[in-house]
């Protein structure tokens, strides 16, 4: 069974909720998922290299991703994530830059096999957000299946 790691930074739990919905979409597609906040990841014991997919999320505040996610992205450079399936997501109030910046870092710095694009939602509760987040998880799961068959 493929394994996915979802790590998020949140301030008001909107990004956490989106990450949990992405995890639901992954699970319904037969993927074993671990969901952690950046702080929980920092407590140790988790190696991203042990996962087939890594999905990262951060809320956007004042046009920036949250500082804990910025720091986490620097920490991830010590791991070999090349070729692993990846996705990026986040909640936002006005502008929503964080998921795109995370996505580009994963694609261009870590050289991961990214899905079609980042998922940006104001809230998982608005405008079909639940279904969008679950479908994003299913898209990641589908990419895992394609990667496993090649």
């Amino acid at each position: 069974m493929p394994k996915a790691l979802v790590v998020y930074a949140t301030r008001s739990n909107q990004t956490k909720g989106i990450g949990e919905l992405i995890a639901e979409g992954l699970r319904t597609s037969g993927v074993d998922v671990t969901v952690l906040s950046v702080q929980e990841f920092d407590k140790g014991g988790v190696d991203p290299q042990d996962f087939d997919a890594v999905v990262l999320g951060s809320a956007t505040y004042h046009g920036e991703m949250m500082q804990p996610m910025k720091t986490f992205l620097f920490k991830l450079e010590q791991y070999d994530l090349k070729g692993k399936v990846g996705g990026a997501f986040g909640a936002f109030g006005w502008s929503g830059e964080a998921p795109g910046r995370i996505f580009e870092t994963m694609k261009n710095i870590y050289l991961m096999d990214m899905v079609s694009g980042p998922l940006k939602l104001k809230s998982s509760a608005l405008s079909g957000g639940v279904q969008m987040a679950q479908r994003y998880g299913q898209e990641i799961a589908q990419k895992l299946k394609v990667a496993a068959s090649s």
Side-chain angles (χ1 to χ4, degrees):
M1 174 182 289
K3 292 171 47 176
L5 174 65
V6 177
V7 180
Y8 62 87
T10 190
R11 193 177 101 185
S12 64
N13 287 326
Q14 290 297 327
T15 301
K16 175 184 179 183
I18 295 166
E20 290 172 345
L21 290 167
I22 291 169
E24 281 180 24
L26 283 158
R27 286 186 187 107
T28 62
S29 300
V31 178
D32 182 27
V33 185
T34 300
V35 181
L36 301 170
S37 69
V38 169
Q39 293 82 3
E40 291 168 322
F41 180 91
D42 286 342
K43 291 179 182 171
V46 177
D47 183 344
Q49 296 172 138
D50 294 339
F51 295 85
D52 304 296
V54 176
V55 186
L56 304 178
S58 174
T60 300
Y61 288 102
H62 305 290
E64 297 288 334
M65 75 179 81
M66 295 183 64
Q67 186 60 47
M69 182 54 70
K70 282 184 186 179
T71 303
F72 183 72
L73 289 174
F74 283 112
K75 288 178 187 175
L76 279 184
E77 287 187 74
Q78 69 184 324
Y79 298 99
D80 180 13
L81 302 177
K82 184 178 180 179
K84 290 192 181 291
V85 172
F89 66 96
F92 68 99
W94 297 104
S95 55
E97 291 92 342
R101 291 184 179 146
I102 294 168
F103 186 94
E104 291 302 318
T105 299
M106 296 171 80
K107 179 179 178 180
N108 299 311
I109 304 296
Y110 309 150
L111 304 176
M112 295 178 68
D113 184 12
M114 301 300 288
V115 293
S116 62
L119 175 67
K120 301 188 299 184
L121 296 173
K122 287 195 178 237
S123 165
S124 60
L126 300 175
S127 303
V130 170
Q131 293 80 11
M132 290 172 68
Q134 289 171 335
R135 278 196 303 269
Y136 195 72
Q138 292 164 351
E139 178 184 355
I140 294 164
Q142 182 59 40
K143 193 155 192 74
L144 278 169
K145 289 177 187 167
V146 169
S149 65
S150 41

